[in-house]
Amino acid sequence: MKRSKIALASVALAGIGALALAGCASGGSDEPTSTGGDAGAIIKVNGSEPENPLFPANTNETGGGKIVDSIYAGLAYYDGEGNIVNDVADSITVDDANTITVKLKEGQKFSNDEAVTADSFIKAWNYGALKSNAQKNASWFSDIEGYSEETDSELTGLTKVDDTTFTIKLSNPVAADFVQRLGYSAYYPLPEVAFEDPTAFGENPIGNGPYKLASEGAWQHDVEINLVKNDAYTGGREAKNGGLDIVFYANLDGAYADLQSGNLDVLDAIPTSAQATFESDLGERAVNQPAAIFQSFTIPESLAHFSGEEGQLRREALSLAIDRDAITKTIFNGTRTPASDFSSPVIGGWSDSLEGADVLKYNQDKAKELWAEADKISPWSGTFQIAYNSDGGHQAWVDATTNSIKNTLGIDASGAPFVDFASLRTEVTNRTITTAFRTGWQADYPGLYNFLAPLYGTGASSNDGDYSNPEFDKLLASGAAADSVDAATADYEKAQEILLKDLPAIPLWYSNVNGGYADTVQNVVFGWNSVPLYYQITKG
C-alpha cells in the first residue's frame, strides 16, 4: 500500500531545553492562486445542524466544528498541510517537559471590541474543565495540573503572568505533544459575556476569528447559519470573502444538485449516487484527495452478547465477516481504502503491519468459527443493527456492511436509520442507544495520539462505547511523555495492538475527501483534515 503523508510540524523535546513556535505566514498548497474576486461576496457551503450550542469546549462533531473554527481563533491553527501556525499567540515556548509559556500578540480583540487577554484563555479553559459544566471536551484539559473528573477543581496549572502572558503547568510530562494540540477548538478563548448566560451565548456566540455571526438569530436551526467577515481579526486566516452561508442539507443529493446548478459554491462530501461520476461531472473542480478521516462502527459493551469473552469473540467475528475490499470498490468507487489500523495514512506513525491487524481482513471461515464459539457461551438471539444518520449519505455502506455480516454469519443484520445526525448523537451521548452505531474520526490535530486518546482513553470526551483498558491508558501516557517521535510511535503501536484485540470500535476504511466546487468561486483548497479553507475562497 502506498503511503501518503502530509508534512507535519512535529515538536520533540530532547532533555530539558526551550523551544519557541514563532508565528509565520503559511505557505505551500493552501496559498491562494489568485487574489481577485469580490471581497464582499458571500460563499455558500454545505454543513449540518450542530449538536449543541456553539461553545468551543462543548463542540466535538463536524457540523458544529466547522462553525466554531470559523468564528473563533485560538493560540494556533493548522494550515492546509497540517502545520501548526501561531494565531493569537506570539510565541509558545516549551520550558521543560511539564511547563509551557504562552505570549499573546498585542491588540487582539473579540468581535464586540473586548480585548483578548490571558484571562480570556484561562477562564475559558477553567469553564471547559469544570465537572459541573459537563462540557464534551473536558478531557482535553486533563493533563493540566488541578484537573479533576470528580470535583469542580480549578486548573491550578494555569498562571497569569500579565495581560498577554500565561504559563501552563502539566501534571504529566507531555509538553511537546500538548503544544501540538493547541490548535484544537477546546482551547479557544471566550469573552466575559460568555460566562453570564452560557446557553444564550451558545446560540449567538461572540468570537475572535475570521468570521462572526451576521446578526443575532443568524443561526436558523435545521436550515442554515449566516456568517460575515470579522474585521477585528488580523491573523493568518483573514477572510478573502465577505462571509459564509452554511446550509444544513437534509441529504447530500440535494446539495450536489445545488452545486451543479450553481446554487451552492463548495461541497465537501459527495453523495453515494454521484461517486462514480462526480469527477467527470465537475472536471478540474472535483476534489479527491487523502484526508485524516477514519471510519468505523462502535458496539457498546452494554449491549447483550457484547461483554466479556463472548463479546470479544463476537466483535472479532463481525470484523472478519466484513468484505471491506468489495464495499470500498462497489459502494465508494475506490474513494475509500480498507483500514489496517485505527488512524489514517496521512498521519505520521500510521502503520499497515501491526500485530493482530488480520482481524480487519475478510475471512468467512474464521468468522463463522468464532461466532460458533461465542454461541457456546450464550446462544445468539435477535438482530444485529448499525445505527446511522440518514442525512449523511451512509445508508449504502451500512446496508452493504450488514449484508456482508448477514451472508457470512447467517444472522439477521440491518441498518437502523435516524432522521439526522443530531438525533443519533443525542441517543449516543445519553447512552440510550440500543444498537451498534456508526462512528468515525476527523482529526482535531495532525498527531497519532489524537486518533487514540479522545476515542478510547478511559473517560475520554469521544469514548462513545465507554471502553476502558488500563494497559492501553498506560501506553498512551508513555507515548505522550516520550522524548522522541520514534519512541512515542512505538508506544502508540503497542496501544493499537491492544485495540485490535479488544475492538472497542470496528475499523472499516480511511476516507479520501470527495468534494467539489462550482465555477462561481476560485482559490478552493481542502485541508489535511478534509475541511475547505473557507477564508481564502474568492468569488466573482
Side-chain angles (χ1 to χ4, degrees), residues 75 88 90-91 93 95 100-106 116-122 158-168:
L75 296 173
V88 176
D90 185 56
S91 64
T93 305
D95 301 320
I100 299 165
T101 297
V102 175
K103 180 71 176 177
L104 305 182
K105 295 173 183 174
E106 300 282 350
V116 178
T117 67
D119 283 330
S120 307
F121 287 92
I122 292 171
L158 299 179
T159 302
K160 177 180 175 180
V161 178
D162 56 44
D163 281 346
T164 58
T165 310
F166 67 100
T167 59
I168 307 167

Side-chain angles (χ1 to χ4, degrees), residues 6-11 21-31 65 68-70 72-89 92 100 105 125 140 174-188 210 233 235-238 289 292 346-347 441-451 454 525-536:
I6 280 175
L8 303 178
S10 297
V11 183
L21 298 181
C24 61
S26 61
S29 64
D30 59 335
E31 283 295 315
V68 164
D69 288 342
S70 296
Y72 292 96
L75 296 173
Y77 66 91
Y78 306 109
D79 70 12
E81 295 183 340
N83 300 304
I84 190 166
V85 180
N86 282 356
D87 202 346
V88 176
I92 303 171
I100 299 165
K105 295 173 183 174
W125 295 11
W140 284 83
V174 296
D177 187 83
F178 196 87
V179 167
Q180 284 289 95
R181 308 174 200 175
L182 289 175
Y184 180 53
S185 57
Y187 303 114
Y188 290 160
Y233 175 78
R237 296 183 295 144
E238 184 176 356
Q289 68 188 49
V346 305
I347 297 296
W441 194 247
Q442 176 179 304
D444 304 305
Y445 67 96
L448 189 55
Y449 183 89
N450 182 240
F451 278 87
V525 172
F526 283 58
W528 65 280
N529 62 349
S530 84
V531 178
L533 306 184
Y534 296 121
Y535 55 89
Q536 75 167 39

Side-chain angles (χ1 to χ4, degrees), residues 100-323:
I100 299 165
T101 297
V102 175
K103 180 71 176 177
L104 305 182
K105 295 173 183 174
E106 300 282 350
Q108 302 292 296
K109 292 185 177 182
F110 291 98
S111 60
N112 65 351
D113 209 37
E114 178 184 327
V116 178
T117 67
D119 283 330
S120 307
F121 287 92
I122 292 171
K123 290 183 179 181
W125 295 11
N126 269 300
Y127 183 90
L130 290 180
K131 180 184 178 183
S132 60
N133 292 329
Q135 300 292 281
K136 293 184 181 300
N137 285 324
S139 65
W140 284 83
F141 305 101
S142 61
D143 284 318
I144 301 175
E145 280 191 357
Y147 175 83
S148 173
E149 290 182 354
E150 308 301 327
T151 62
D152 270 356
S153 175
E154 289 282 314
L155 296 174
T156 55
L158 299 179
T159 302
K160 177 180 175 180
V161 178
D162 56 44
D163 281 346
T164 58
T165 310
F166 67 100
T167 59
I168 307 167
K169 185 72 173 178
L170 304 173
S171 53
N172 300 300
V174 296
D177 187 83
F178 196 87
V179 167
Q180 284 289 95
R181 308 174 200 175
L182 289 175
Y184 180 53
S185 57
Y187 303 114
Y188 290 160
L190 289 170
E192 288 293 334
V193 68
F195 309 108
E196 296 172 8
D197 187 343
T199 301
F201 178 84
E203 292 292 321
N204 291 282
I206 295 168
N208 63 320
Y211 298 98
K212 62 182 180 179
L213 266 65
S215 62
E216 188 169 338
W219 179 5
Q220 303 171 62
H221 288 280
D222 299 310
V223 179
E224 66 179 4
I225 189 166
N226 310 118
L227 309 180
V228 295
K229 182 179 179 180
N230 175 21
D231 290 326
Y233 175 78
T234 58
R237 296 183 295 144
E238 184 176 356
K240 303 293 192 295
N241 50 64
L244 306 174
D245 284 348
I246 304 176
V247 182
F248 308 146
Y249 283 91
N251 60 72
L252 289 175
D253 289 292
Y256 189 65
D258 275 358
L259 182 73
Q260 290 181 296
S261 65
N263 292 320
L264 184 70
D265 294 315
V266 183
L267 177 65
D268 66 3
I270 299 297
T272 302
S273 61
Q275 287 284 343
T277 62
F278 83 99
E279 291 183 283
S280 58
D281 290 344
L282 301 176
E284 63 181 13
R285 294 180 287 106
V287 176
N288 183 10
Q289 68 188 49
I293 304 175
F294 163 87
Q295 294 186 335
S296 60
F297 66 86
T298 294
I299 309 171
E301 291 197 22
S302 59
L303 298 188
H305 300 290
F306 285 102
S307 61
E309 182 184 359
E310 180 194 358
Q312 190 163 352
L313 289 167
R314 294 203 188 280
R315 290 167 193 271
E316 187 174 352
L318 287 166
S319 183
L320 292 166
I322 301 167
D323 191 344

Side-chain angles (χ1 to χ4, degrees), residues 485-533:
V485 173
D486 288 343
T489 298
D491 283 331
Y492 296 147
E493 286 184 349
K494 293 175 185 176
Q496 287 207 74
E497 287 169 357
I498 291 175
L499 296 182
L500 287 167
K501 292 178 182 178
D502 294 348
L503 291 174
I506 308 296
L508 293 172
W509 37 75
Y510 313 119
S511 293
N512 276 12
V513 53
N514 305 132
Y517 53 97
D519 58 11
T520 52
V521 291
Q522 307 84 39
N523 299 313
V524 180
V525 172
F526 283 58
W528 65 280
N529 62 349
S530 84
V531 178
L533 306 184

